[in-house]
């Protein structure tokens, strides 16, 4: 049966060693199953070459049959990669594997083809039935000139490494793979490659290597032609000097960017995974200290711990040029680490090395690897950065071991905030670490972060001074032993943020960023400080955080940027970021809530209700959706409907343990309009208490902003004008006001009694002017960035 593409003998060529088939017929069974899967995958008949009695062993005088070369003219080559296949003396290796790679590299399609989804695939589709040792892996990849990627048929249990069979239970298989599913993956990968080849063939046809003009011009005046050519060349040189550099100048500088993927173990010892993770985390942290590199945090790469995605796909999703893979083993005091630096877009190795050291050299190895990578990426490393990378965190390896276990548990909590037990274990391990080294700065910093994580969500209304002081003291301890550690500065910035000291907070964040230019949290927290004060910096720092963090926090970061653009008066940009967030997290409730809120503030109340009802149809208990509907009906003057949703909102807030008090002035107003004066007064008084307490405790700038606004609204509605204007003036003095608040003031019914008074009008106009000035600043900044009409 001929190939689907004219000029090719077969669609698929199966290459294998007879040793891997003669005892249990594994290869024969695989080919039979693959043929069946291909029949249900393709409409056409797919031709497969499979020699039931392949050559095994190659003599120096052995001649390869010409017919085999013809059979190798196939679209896809599937080698059954085993421990015995990777043998340069074997027939399959030399005259099938290597021969196909050489032949395909020179034919019209090339060895690598571009898939319909934009990714690139190799026409060699390996089926691996054993884990390979490092030498065999290097041997395979030297032939492919790239990373060995394929479909694994490997069954693993402790001490077991054999081909996966159809009878195996995937629940016992450490790889969690099922035979039938793996066969299906091979069929689908085959379809993707053949579809790409067929598409190329239809669009391009045969490409002639040389075009010959049958009627060449006769030579005319040679001297004139030489002069003309010289003039043209001179003009091109001049144009090239002034114009071509601008023409080809990239709109963005080429970034040196990298992600360190979770390291794997070389041995079947899951209880040592924390050591591999600790090694990966330390190398990542060292790389993060280099300003000339953009490094993804560990939270961004955790999603690829177990994945079938190619390095090209991973690099594209993370937005990085390079990936680092690692395999780790610790046996007693001996350590073995294999690292591979991959150029993601090409799926090729840029560098690889193996380190066999003692555990006492662990910090030296971490430093050497980071510096070697920086050199390969041609990153500029300052003497100060080099000194930071080479600094030894602790002289006590037992303390370091406990710290790594603490970090491992802490990471589990960050990946799953409901895992409170992991957070408690992290705290215990950090304390154990400090028993062995009371000067270990990273352990103090880890403990400070635990206290922040444990307690920050517990207080319903006010922050606990006790735990806040603990965080500050522990950060101070950490910095007293190592003032070049970035994490304590970030935590101190959060501390000063919560107690309403923005200047000190920003100073701490700047220190953190200087020491770790890839600290996404410091960028994010610093950006939050500019909310309502400097919208350009707010958006700028949020976007910096997004450029670094592509992990589970990404959707919320995108939503935050969308909100920032709305506050700056760019609703179209805001909607685009909301849509990008929806694509990632699928949270349609949050999407409808955001769009509905935006429409409400644009005074498109019916559109706001429409989005609210769509969300309500999905989940009638969602707090955001209930609040949106209650608030919008309030502004429409439909107070019975509004009260219905406010009651549901309040009940839901109580059951979830949320802070319901922050919106009590709205609830009080709606109760009043429905004739419930006593209830209204209760909620007004509760709101006044809350706002005064917030101001007294010197909470964050944003919280104080809202508190002064809410007090002004309550007092205005009650007719206490002096108090209303006093708070309204302070609100107005708090620097810049975002668009949503300048709009909210215009439609907020709490101010109806004073809305037409000159002083109110003056303050409202002043606030609007501030917003317009800030909007214009953002517009000019976007124009300078070249992103005014795009993301």
């Amino acid at each position: 049966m001929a190939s689907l593409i004219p000029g090719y003998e077969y669609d698929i060529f199966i290459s294998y060693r007879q040793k891997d088939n003669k005892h249990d017929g594994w290869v024969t069974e695989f080919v039979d199953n693959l043929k069946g899967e291909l029949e249900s995958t393709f409409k056409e008949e797919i031709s497969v070459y499979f020699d039931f009695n392949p050559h095994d062993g190659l003599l120096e005088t052995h001649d390869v049959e010409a017919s085999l070369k013809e059979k190798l003219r196939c679209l896809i080559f599937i080698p059954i990669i085993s421990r015995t296949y990777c043998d340069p003396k074997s027939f399959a290796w030399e005259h099938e594997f290597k021969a196909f790679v050489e032949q395909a590299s020179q034919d019209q399609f090339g060895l690598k083809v571009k898939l319909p989804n934009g990714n690139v695939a190799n026409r060699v589709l390996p089926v691996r039935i054993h884990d390979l040792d490092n030498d065999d892996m290097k041997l395979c990849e030297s032939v492919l000139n790239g990373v060995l990627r394929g479909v694994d048929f490997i069954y693993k249990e402790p001490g077991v490494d054999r081909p996966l069979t159809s009878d195996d239970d995937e629940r016992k298989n450490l790889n969690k793979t099922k035979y039938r599913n793996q066969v299906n993956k091979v069929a689908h990968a085959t379809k993707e490659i053949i579809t790409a080849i067929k598409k190329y063939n239809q669009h391009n046809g045969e490409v002639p290597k040389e075009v010959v003009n049958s009627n060449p011009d006769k030579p005319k005046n040679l001297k004139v032609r030489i002069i003309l050519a010289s003039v043209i060349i001179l003009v091109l040189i001049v144009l090239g000097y002034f114009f071509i550099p601008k023409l080809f100048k990239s709109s963005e500088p080429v970034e040196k960017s990298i992600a360190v993927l979770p390291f794997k173990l070389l041995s079947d010892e899951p209880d040592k995974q924390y050591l591999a993770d600790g090694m990966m985390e330390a190398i990542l942290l060292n790389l993060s200290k280099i300003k000339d590199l953009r490094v993804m945090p560990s939270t961004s790469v955790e999603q690829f711990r177990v994945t079938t995605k190619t390095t090209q796909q991973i690099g594209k999703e993370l937005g990085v040029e390079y990936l680092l893979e690692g395999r780790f083993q610790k046996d007693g005091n001996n350590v073995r680490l294999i690292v591979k630096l991959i150029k993601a877009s090409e799926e090729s190795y840029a560098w690889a090395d193996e380190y066999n050291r003692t555990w006492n050299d662990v910090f030296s190895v971490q430093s050497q690897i980071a510096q070697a990578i920086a050199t390969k990426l041609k990153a500029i490393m300052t003497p100060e950065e080099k000194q930071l990378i080479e600094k030894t965190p602790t002289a006590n390896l037992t303390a370091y071991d406990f710290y790594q276990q603490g970090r491992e548990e802490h990471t589990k909590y960050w990946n799953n905030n409901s895992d409170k037990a992991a957070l408690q274990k992290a705290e215990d391990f950090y304390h154990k670490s400090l028993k062995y080294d009371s000067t270990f700065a990273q352990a103090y910093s880890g403990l400070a972060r635990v206290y922040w994580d444990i307690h920050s969500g517990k207080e319903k209304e006010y922050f606990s001074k006790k735990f806040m002081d603990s965080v500050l003291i522990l950060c101070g301890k950490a910095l007293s032993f190592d003032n070049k550690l970035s994490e304590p500065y970030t935590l101190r910035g959060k501390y000063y943020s919560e107690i309403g000291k923005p200047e000190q907070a920003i100073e701490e964040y700047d220190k953190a960023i200087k020491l770790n230019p890839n600290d996404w949290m410091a960028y994010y927290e610093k950006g939050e400080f500019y909310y309502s004060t400097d919208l350009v910096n707010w958006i700028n720092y949020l976007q910096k955080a997004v450029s670094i963090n592509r992990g589970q926090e990404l959707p919320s970061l995108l939503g935050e940027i969308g909100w920032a653009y709305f506050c700056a008066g760019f609703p179209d940009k805001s909607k685009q970021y909301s849509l990008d967030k929806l694509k990632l997290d699928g949270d349609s409730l949050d999407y409808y809530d955001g769009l509905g809120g935006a429409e409400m503030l644009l005074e498109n109340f019916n559109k706001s209700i429409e989005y609210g009802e769509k969300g309500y149809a999905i989940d009638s208990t969602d707090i955001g959706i209930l609040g949106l509907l209650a608030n919008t009906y309030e502004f429409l003057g439909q107070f019975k409907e509004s009260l219905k949703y406010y009651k549901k909102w309040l009940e839901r807030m109580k059951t979830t343990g949320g802070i319901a008090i922050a919106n009590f002035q709205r609830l009080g107003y709606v109760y009043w309009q429905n004739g419930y004066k006593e209830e209204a007064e209760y909620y007004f008084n509760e709101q006044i208490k809350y706002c005064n307490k917030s101001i007294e405790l010197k909470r964050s700038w944003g919280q104080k902003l809202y508190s002064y606004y809410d007090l002004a609204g309550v007092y205005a509605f009650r007719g206490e004008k002096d108090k209303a204007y006093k708070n309204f003036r302070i609100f107005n003095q708090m620097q810049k006001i975002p668009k949503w608040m300048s709009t909210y003031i215009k439609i907020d019914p709490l101010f109806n009694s004073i809305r037409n008074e000159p002083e109110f009008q003056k303050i409202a106009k002043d606030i609007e002017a501030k917003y317009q000035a800030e909007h214009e600043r953002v517009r000019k900044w976007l124009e300078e960035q070249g992103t005014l009409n795009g993301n």
Side-chain angles (χ1 to χ4, degrees), residues 375-416:
T375 300
K376 288 294 177 183
L377 269 57
K378 298 180 180 178
I380 298 170
M381 185 165 48
T382 67
E384 292 81 5
E385 290 168 349
K386 187 174 187 295
Q387 190 176 12
L388 286 174
I389 290 170
E390 292 176 348
K391 184 178 178 65
T392 299
T394 177
N396 190 303
L397 292 177
T398 303
Y400 183 65
D401 187 272
F402 280 126
Y403 169 77
Q404 283 189 307
Q405 292 184 67
R407 204 69 177 179
E408 183 81 356
E409 294 299 330
H410 215 155
T411 302
K412 288 179 184 176
Y413 171 76
W414 291 332
N415 293 329
N416 178 12

Side-chain angles (χ1 to χ4, degrees), residues 631-643:
N631 205 190
T632 308
Y633 277 120
E634 174 193 347
F635 286 172
L636 281 171
Q638 298 181 30
F639 300 116
K640 285 186 179 179
E641 279 294 296
S642 178
L643 184 58

Side-chain angles (χ1 to χ4, degrees), residues 432-446:
K432 287 179 181 178
S433 176
L434 289 168
K435 283 183 180 179
Y436 283 89
D437 183 359
S438 61
T439 67
F440 191 5
Q442 290 183 1
Y444 281 115
S445 181

